[in-house]
Structure formats: C-alpha cells, structure tokens
Amino acid sequence: MNKVSFSYLDELNEVQRNAVTTIDGPVMVIAGPGSGKTRVLTYRIAHLINSGVHPGQILALTFTNKAAREMKERIERVIGSSANKIWAGTFHSLFARILRVEAHRIGYPNDFTIYDTDDTKSVISEIVKTMNLDKKVYAPGVVRSRISSAKSNLITPKAYAVNEELLAYDRMNMRPHIHVLYDKYVKKCEKAGAMDFDDLLLQMFKLLYQNPDNVRSKYQNQFKYILVDEFQDTNYLQYEIMKLLIEYPDSPRNICIVGDDAQSIYSFRGASIENILMFETDFPEVQVFKLEQNYRSTNFIVNAANEVITYNSNQIKKKIWTQKEDGKKIKLIKAATDNEEGKRVSDSIIEQKNRFNLANKDIAILYRTNAQSRVFEENLRRFNIPYRVYGGLSFYQRKEIKDFLAYIRMVINDKDDEAFKRIINFPKRGIGNTSVEEIAKIAEDNGMSMWEVINSIELNSRAKKSIGEFVSIIRESKAKIDKLDAYEAAKFILNKSGIMTMLKADGSIESRSRMENLTSLLDGIQEFVQDDTLEINEEFSNDKSLSKFIQNISLMTDQDENNADADTVTLMSVHSAKGLEYRSIFVVGLEENLFPSYMSLADPSQIEEERRLFYVAITRAEEHLTLSYANSRYQYGDMRFNDPSRFLEEIKDENIDGLIGITRESKGFGEPKILGNFKPLKPKTASLNINPDDFSASPISKIIPGARVLHLKFGEGQVLSVDDRQIATILFSDAVDSPEKRIVLKFAKLQVLE
DNA sequence: GGGGGCTATGGGGGG
DNA sequence: CATAGCCCCC
C-alpha cells in the first residue's frame, strides 16, 4: 500500500541528491538558473515525507503565487494528494492564513481587512491632506515606500521618530514629517481593522515575538521543517520571522534555504542579499550545496549569461555550465520604432514556429515594464497568434471589481473607511466631496469610523437623504450575510448596490464588459461555495461565508489560471518570468532608460540589479534567445529616442547571430515602409515543418516569373511576376489567408525549387 | 453643493 | 497614455 519508493533519487546528480537527502539541520542551496532548483525542492519535500515527516509539519515559503502553485503541483505529482496538507504558499498568504486564526491575540479582529497598495496610498493621501502638507512633496507612493521599508526593517513609528539616519534622509528630501505620517498611518489601519501587505509579515512577527498565550510554541511545534525558496529575495523582517519559528532551545534547526544571489531582483521592496551572509553567521553548522550545472539552456545562451554577470562586482563566485550542444546563436532584432519591434518579433515568432516546429506555448516575450505589452498584443493579434498576458492589471484590480468588492468589504467590516469612500457615492447618488470630507473630518476628530459617523451624528449636509439610502443598502445587506451562502449574499449585495443597473443603463461596450466581469466574479464565488477540496489545515476549510471568500482577495494577483495549458504565446514582465523556462525567449525593449530603467541609471548598485534582471531574462531560454530594441518608441504620449542597452554590448559577438531584418540608420518618425506581409494569418496555420538545414536561400537573379519557390513562412509557391523595384508577386497555394503575396526580394528568404 | 469636462502631471517591479 | 485636480455650470 504505502510502498515507499526512493527511485526519484536516481533522477538527480550528486550535488542535487545530497541537497535532497541532507534533511537534518540547516541547509543552504545556491542554485544557478536551470540547475534543477525546483526539482531539488520538490524531491526534498517528497524525501521528507518518505522519511516519516508528516506533510502538515512542512512549511514551504515562496514569493509569488505562481511559484507557490507550481511547487504544489509538482509535489502532488510526486507524492499524491497528501501534498495539500503541506503548508506551501507565499509568505503573505500563509501568514494571512495564520493571522485569520490568531489576530485577536494582538488586538486585531480575525476578519481584518487587507489593504492593497491603492488603499494604502489613499489612506496616506487622506493624512497628508488633514495635516495640510504639500501633496506633491508627500506623494503617496513615496511615503508608502518609506513606511514599507521601515516596516520591513522592523522600525516602529517610535523608533523612526528618533532614528537620526532616517530623519536626516527625509530632511534632505524635504520630507521631514514622514515619521508623523507613519505613526498616523499605523493608527488609522489599526482603527480600521486593516492590515497592509507589510503588516501580514509584521503582525506575524509581532504575534510570535510578543508571544501571547505562548502561541509561538504552537507554531514552532507545528513547523518541524521549513523551506524558503528564492531566499535572496527575503527582507530582514521575513528573516526574523523565520528565526522565531526555527530558533528555540534544542531546536533541530531544520531549515533549508534555496537561492541565487545572481538572481536577486527585488531589492526595491526591501530584499537584501545580506540575508545570505547573515544566514551563514546565524547558522554556522549550515551545509552548503552549489548547483552549477545548467540543464536548461544551450551553450551560447549559458555563455552569454556568464559574460553579462561578470560585469557585476557584488556576487558569490560561481559559474554555470552546461553539457548541452552549442545550440543556436542569440538573435538580435533592431527596429526603427516600438511598433516595428512588435511586428518583427511577431514575424520572427511565425518563422521560428515553422522552422523549428515550436508551439505557441514554447514561446515567451519578456519586457521590463508591463506597459510595453500593448504593442506586442496588437501585432500578435494582427498575425493571429494566440497569446496570454500575465500581470499588469489583474482581474481583481479592475475598477468594477474593486467597487463591488468595496460593497462586500463594507458589509463585512463597516470600519473599513477605504471601502466606504469608494462607494459612498458610487453609483452616483448625490453625495459629493464636500459631504464626504465633512464625514471624514468628524470621524477623525471623534476617533470614529465614517460609517459610525453617518449612523450616529446628525449631518447638516443636504446629502442627508442620499446618505440614508446608502445606509439602508448596507444595513439590508448586513442582515443577509449570515443567512445566505456567499454566492446568494454576493448576488443580493450586487443587486442592492445598483452597480449593475447603472452599467445596464449606460449600454456602452465597455459597460457590457464590466458587467461580464462582475458576473464572472459571481461565478467565482459560486465555485468557491461548491468547491469541496480541502485546504491546508482543516480548521479553515468549512467556512463558506462571503467573509471567507473576500479575505484573501487582495493577495490574488494572478489572472485566471483556467486555461494554463492553452497553446498561447506568453507575454510578461521579466520579474514575473523568474523561475520559468521556454524553448524560445524574446527579451524586448533593450534600450538605455528602459532596460536598464531610467530610475536605476544614477546608482551603480541599481544598475547591478537591472543586470541581474537581464541575467534572469536570458536564462529563461532553452534553445532560442532573441533580443530586440527600437531606435524610437512612444513613451508617455510622445516619441522618445533611446540608445541600445549597455547589456547588449556585454554579450560577446561570438554568441550573437547577425541582425534580423532592416538596419535603419535614420531614426525617422513614422512607419517603416517595407516590412513584408503583415496581413493576418488564419489561426491554426498548418506548420510547414521546413527543416532549416534543407533550406538555402537562392540569389535574387534566380527569382523569375514562372519559378517554383519555397518560402520559410508560406511554403511552396509560384512566382507570377517581378516588378522593377524587385518586388515579386508569388502565388502560395497553401497560405491560408490570401494566396497571392507581394514579396520584397531584398529581404525575402526564398529557395528556388528545381 | 454636486457633476462633468478640460488641463496638467507623472509614468517600475510584486504580495 | 491614464489619472488627478481644477474650473465652471447646473
């Protein structure tokens, strides 16, 4: 029955095997890209379980939802359904889960609200306004990041107020009052029963550190084995939480950290490479395993990665290597404009699919900023290449979804002033800014929530009647949530809110899509109600209330994962590509000011982080790596000109193939004139399967009317005519859209068939 | 006091 | 290009 099999150990190389089987005491795995890190992690967990560890005693922490999901899936494949007993997930989601049970011990309600970045910024703006500070100087984003990094370094508002270094920095930037804002912000969140993303860590720390009712030992006993993925991305606070969980008298200190300093790309949110050094000091008995053999990429790609990273001065010495063949050289696409870049990349994707028999899902386009996706989306659509965009504005960040969720938040936690402000006058019911500010002021002065104010204080605002309407919507909804299941309750609230009525009345295409989104959120809630799979810990699993549903929604940043197996090209930021691999990778927008980002140019350490980011990007590729840049692009509404990225120069020429396509010396405006044929292809174009080795382009002089030719993209065709500009009209009978194509001979790859 | 339209400004990455 | 803030009219 429970036959224990250790056969998976045969699939590992020696270093990997040692990293998997050394289960006692602290272990550090330094894992280069493609070195089988995830395999080591999953097999290590499988090995723990095979060695008699109960799955519920394992805590496996990751940074992104995507990494967590992938880890869980892979563990399940190895050990079966008991995998769902493992505490595997992101720091934020697992700590939120614990705090949902324990928060009352540290003065928070267990059904605390989670503030996302927008909520946080809005709270800060409010404080800046009431303090009569300049909102340009105290931009909410800037203030938020100061507060966030204070929290990440365990600096309380009190400590901040006397920390000369921080104060001096703020004075230098003409923001001497940040410590006051920090203090007020924390108090406001506490009063609203809300935690921001940093609080999920900070309050977890507080819980373990202050140790009410000896709660710490409960979790120390529960988590006998701790694993941390992407350790180079942890911040000080996360490190301290780990230590509280692992360090106690006679602790076996079973902690395994996995990471790669060369892939540290999150210092902007407080991650610190120093944690790796600190770990070696705090756990001197640590056993270190270095995984340097790369199983992912061919040699040209590995070489390029090694070359690029040598330009960084701060790094743990290691060199990745591969036994694979040289493979294809790196391709470079040089475009005149961002739009041409989009076209050439799409063009190149079609060519690769045909020449190398790649599926769409083997291909990913990686960019530095999410805003770059638009041009690629447009062009991929034009070529009828199915694609999927990760990141950017997720489903839960859409306006209509946030509005509806704000209603639900209000119904569940009426102290949630951020939700209150969002919906008090949405849909429009005649309660303007003046009234809202009056309510906010009274709330502030009396230490009440805004909801309490409108329920207890007679306002002289003439919006009184409308406020009454709002109160009854929320009250009636409140009366329902305990009687109905999450789905019925949500449907009731949505109806009451009037959002749907408003959208229906509007009738625009946009409104219709908003209504669809709301309906699909309701579907999601229905699914949640009917879902019968068990969660990690049974004490959490029977709650089907609406409150339970929305509790972790702020943490759900990924887009719907329903069709993860669909055959689509993937578009995403380099950050979210970490940990993934594709047969073919396009890294686009390689220009100074963009990649590396203009934000990083002044600071050498930030340039190094950009370089690590580039390192991450190129090491995602298994066989094909294409780098592209544009001489000019539209940014912030007008045309900008950027130089090619310094990172391109850091790759030795011997690893790079010649240019693809036109080299335009002129940095002119507008569309390049000649770009081949960009009419849309029908989807599911039959792959032509032309072996590139059998293909050799013929000289232009051979392309004459009547000749039979082979084209890499369009297959076999017959030349009808060639005009004096050397443009041939060719009949491709297999082409799905229009069989007749005009081909510019100067750029076309045509082979004359005898 | 509230709502709609126009102008000015800022624009990174993720939980 | 998107959003916030401002002005002006209802």
Side-chain angles (χ1 to χ4, degrees):
Chain A
M1 322 291 109
N2 284 325
K3 192 162 167 284
V4 174
S5 160
F6 293 93
S7 63
Y8 50 85
L9 293 178
D10 301 336
E11 296 171 35
L12 302 170
N13 70 30
E14 197 187 336
V15 192
Q16 290 174 332
R17 191 158 51 241
N18 290 336
V20 164
T21 55
T22 308
I23 59 176
D24 296 318
V27 167
M28 176 155 85
V29 182
I30 302 290
S35 61
K37 181 196 70 169
T38 312
R39 175 177 285 214
V40 165
L41 260 176
T42 47
Y43 286 3
R44 186 181 166 88
I45 290 172
H47 195 74
L48 286 172
I49 293 168
N50 272 346
S51 310
V53 177
H54 187 272
Q57 295 179 323
I58 299 171
L59 177 66
L61 298 162
T62 66
F63 282 82
T64 62
N65 290 315
K66 203 188 289 154
R69 195 180 322 111
E70 179 170 325
M71 184 159 76
K72 282 189 251 187
E73 280 167 11
R74 287 178 68 159
I75 297 170
E76 194 167 339
R77 260 179 267 150
V78 183
I79 67 162
S81 65
S82 63
N84 69 13
K85 297 204 182 68
I86 299 168
W87 284 71
T90 63
F91 280 89
H92 291 86
S93 72
L94 292 183
F95 292 168
R97 192 180 285 277
I98 291 171
L99 287 166
R100 292 284 175 211
V101 182
E102 314 288 357
H104 63 279
R105 301 183 200 277
I106 49 170
Y108 265 96
N110 280 3
D111 62 351
F112 58 87
T113 301
I114 298 175
Y115 276 173
D116 66 13
T117 310
D118 287 344
D119 295 321
T120 296
K121 284 190 195 163
S122 157
V123 174
I124 292 169
S125 302
E126 184 80 33
I127 300 170
V128 169
K129 210 187 292 172
T130 56
M131 285 178 66
N132 280 321
L133 296 171
D134 185 340
K135 54 188 177 301
K136 297 241 166 62
V137 177
Y138 290 93
V142 176
V143 178
R144 189 196 79 96
S145 95
R146 293 295 288 163
I147 293 175
S148 172
S149 71
K151 286 183 174 179
S152 304
N153 288 296
L154 282 171
I155 296 164
T156 60
K158 240 188 190 158
Y160 197 119
V162 295
N163 184 314
E164 256 323 302
E165 195 185 331
L166 294 173
L167 295 177
Y169 179 91
D170 287 339
R171 273 197 303 271
M172 190 179 76
N173 290 289
M174 316 302 277
R175 297 188 191 98
H177 300 298
I178 288 206
H179 69 278
V180 186
L181 294 172
Y182 180 20
D183 187 52
K184 285 184 188 273
Y185 171 74
V186 167
K187 293 202 169 109
K188 252 192 138 112
C189 288
E190 277 169 8
K191 208 183 301 164
M195 296 192 196
D196 65 19
F197 289 138
D198 297 309
D199 280 323
L200 295 175
L201 310 178
L202 184 61
Q203 304 304 333
M204 180 71 193
F205 174 85
K206 247 193 213 166
L207 179 78
L208 297 173
Y209 185 78
Q210 296 176 350
N211 196 21
D213 309 312
N214 202 20
V215 68
R216 181 166 60 209
S217 65
K218 173 175 166 189
Y219 290 99
Q220 286 172 337
N221 288 329
Q222 166 142 21
F223 302 129
K224 294 290 187 208
Y225 289 85
I226 299 181
L227 295 93
V228 183
D229 192 12
E230 309 282 12
F231 183 77
Q232 75 280 356
D233 292 337
T234 46
N235 61 35
Y236 178 68
L237 173 54
Q238 287 163 322
Y239 184 73
E240 290 300 314
I241 296 170
M242 282 167 26
K243 270 195 0 195
L244 282 174
L245 285 171
I246 209 74
E247 286 200 318
Y248 50 91
D250 299 322
S251 164
R253 314 227 281 182
N254 294 324
I255 179 162
C256 172
I257 63 164
V258 182
D260 178 7
D261 60 299
Q263 294 183 68
S264 162
I265 56 174
Y266 283 105
S267 75
F268 72 92
R269 63 172 203 220
S272 127
I273 312 187
E274 276 80 60
N275 279 352
I276 294 186
L277 306 173
M278 213 160 14
F279 191 85
E280 290 185 296
T281 316
D282 287 338
F283 299 89
E285 75 275 32
V286 64
Q287 303 189 64
V288 181
F289 302 97
K290 274 193 192 178
L291 309 179
E292 293 176 301
Q293 180 174 1
N294 178 301
Y295 294 95
R296 177 184 296 152
S297 314
T298 45
N299 206 25
F300 283 127
I301 296 169
V302 169
N303 286 345
N306 279 327
E307 284 158 15
V308 166
I309 206 66
T310 56
Y311 285 82
N312 272 9
S313 52
N314 281 322
Q315 51 172 328
I316 295 177
K317 274 277 169 268
K318 76 174 162 323
K319 191 160 189 170
I320 58 169
W321 58 278
T322 180
Q323 281 180 347
K324 290 196 175 202
E325 72 277 23
D326 277 351
K328 302 275 178 237
K329 288 193 176 184
I330 297 164
K331 293 239 151 88
L332 201 58
I333 294 180
K334 193 173 170 184
T337 64
D338 51 350
N339 192 41
E340 186 190 320
E341 183 186 33
K343 282 177 180 162
R344 300 211 152 275
V345 166
S346 306
D347 207 16
S348 195
I349 285 173
I350 295 208
E351 186 176 327
Q352 282 190 358
K353 282 169 62 176
N354 287 332
R355 285 179 64 182
F356 307 111
N357 200 20
L358 295 182
N360 293 315
K361 66 171 190 292
D362 295 325
I363 301 168
I365 301 174
L366 309 184
Y367 33 75
R368 177 65 181 83
T369 67
N370 282 313
Q372 285 165 259
S373 75
R374 206 198 83 247
V375 169
F376 295 97
E377 290 184 60
E378 284 168 4
N379 282 286
L380 291 169
R381 258 203 298 273
R382 205 173 306 170
F383 279 77
N384 271 313
I385 302 170
Y387 65 88
R388 221 154 75 94
V389 186
Y390 274 94
L393 204 59
S394 87
F395 180 78
Y396 294 102
Q397 290 173 300
R398 289 176 193 176
K399 184 185 178 303
E400 64 278 15
I401 299 298
K402 292 194 84 167
D403 289 332
F404 177 34
L405 289 174
Y407 271 93
I408 299 179
R409 278 164 59 178
M410 257 318 276
V411 171
I412 288 163
N413 171 13
D414 56 38
K415 293 197 199 66
D416 188 340
D417 285 352
E418 290 316 300
F420 181 99
K421 280 188 282 183
R422 202 178 170 95
I423 56 171
I424 177 72
N425 196 33
F426 183 88
K428 293 243 151 38
R429 49 173 79 82
I431 307 167
N433 274 332
T434 321
S435 301
V436 176
E437 256 157 50
E438 187 192 351
I439 297 167
K441 173 120 197 2
I442 299 172
E444 173 76 24
D445 293 345
N446 295 281
M448 300 162 86
S449 69
M450 294 173 79
W451 171 254
E452 283 173 313
V453 170
I454 60 171
N455 274 279
S456 58
I457 291 173
E458 197 58 26
L459 297 159
N460 44 18
S461 153
R462 79 175 183 206
K464 207 155 58 177
K465 183 165 160 289
S466 310
I467 289 173
E469 281 168 36
F470 177 71
V471 168
S472 66
I473 292 170
I474 301 298
R475 281 210 185 133
E476 283 173 48
S477 301
K478 273 174 175 290
K480 295 282 182 190
I481 48 166
D482 293 329
K483 298 198 191 89
L484 303 174
D485 71 32
Y487 174 70
E488 295 295 336
K491 220 164 76 175
F492 181 87
I493 295 171
L494 183 57
N495 262 330
K496 270 279 153 199
S497 73
I499 298 177
M500 278 301 210
T501 323
M502 182 203 73
L503 292 172
K504 218 174 281 175
D506 182 71
S508 66
I509 300 173
E510 197 181 60
S511 293
R512 233 176 305 164
S513 112
R514 290 183 194 280
M515 286 165 70
E516 279 167 26
N517 288 335
L518 288 166
T519 313
S520 89
L521 179 60
L522 280 182
D523 290 345
I525 298 175
Q526 177 78 292
E527 214 172 284
F528 158 79
V529 171
Q530 291 167 354
D531 182 19
D532 58 359
T533 54
L534 275 181
E535 285 197 35
I536 293 173
N537 191 323
E538 282 163 25
E539 72 183 277
F540 302 113
S541 65
N542 288 327
D543 185 356
K544 294 291 186 191
S545 69
L546 192 51
S547 163
K548 175 76 199 318
F549 177 81
I550 67 151
Q551 273 173 4
N552 288 330
I553 271 196
S554 327
L555 298 174
M556 300 171 65
T557 52
D558 285 18
Q559 267 159 333
D560 56 307
E561 297 299 323
N562 300 333
N563 44 6
D565 293 326
D567 184 30
T568 56
V569 170
T570 303
L571 277 68
M572 62 176 128
S573 70
V574 181
H575 280 91
S576 48
K578 179 142 91 156
L580 304 177
E581 58 189 19
Y582 293 86
R583 284 180 67 190
S584 173
I585 288 284
F586 290 79
V587 187
V588 300
L590 282 163
E591 294 140 38
E592 292 291 305
N593 296 317
L594 185 59
F595 199 177
S597 155
Y598 73 100
M599 309 276 291
S600 70
L601 296 179
D603 180 351
S605 75
Q606 287 201 52
I607 289 282
E608 297 213 343
E609 175 141 322
E610 296 284 313
R611 188 174 285 110
R612 292 192 294 270
L613 193 57
F614 182 60
Y615 177 82
V616 167
I618 60 181
T619 52
R620 300 308 95 199
E622 295 171 351
E623 301 162 41
H624 305 279
L625 176 60
T626 311
L627 309 175
S628 79
Y629 68 91
N631 287 331
S632 66
R633 68 174 59 242
Y634 276 99
Q635 275 175 301
Y636 320 133
D638 55 17
M639 181 79 85
R640 307 279 172 112
F641 301 94
N642 295 320
D643 291 328
S645 170
R646 67 190 70 190
F647 301 146
L648 291 171
E649 294 164 22
E650 293 169 3
I651 299 175
K652 290 195 182 121
D653 287 348
E654 66 209 45
N655 297 311
I656 299 183
D657 206 359
L659 298 181
I660 295 179
I662 313 168
T663 305
R664 280 168 52 114
E665 293 308 317
S666 65
K667 297 178 173 179
F669 288 79
E671 290 293 329
K673 303 241 172 355
I674 306 158
L675 287 167
N677 191 308
F678 290 108
K679 281 196 205 120
L681 296 173
K682 292 270 154 40
K684 298 244 160 68
T685 308
S687 179
L688 295 173
N689 279 334
I690 298 170
N691 185 340
D693 298 333
D694 296 340
F695 183 91
S696 64
S698 306
I700 294 177
S701 57
K702 290 266 184 80
I703 318 282
I704 48 170
R708 280 179 57 239
V709 293
L710 190 63
H711 187 279
L712 272 178
K713 209 189 310 172
F714 304 122
E716 229 178 272
Q718 180 146 33
V719 181
L720 300 179
S721 65
V722 180
D723 71 11
D724 51 7
R725 290 167 302 161
Q726 295 292 298
I727 295 173
T729 306
I730 303 177
L731 184 74
F732 292 102
S733 39
D734 288 338
V736 200
D737 51 345
S738 63
E740 258 183 47
K741 294 186 189 301
R742 290 165 57 73
I743 304 283
V744 182
L745 294 181
K746 198 161 96 192
F747 307 120
K749 294 191 180 80
L750 288 166
Q751 180 180 5
V752 174
L753 301 170
E754 304 308 333

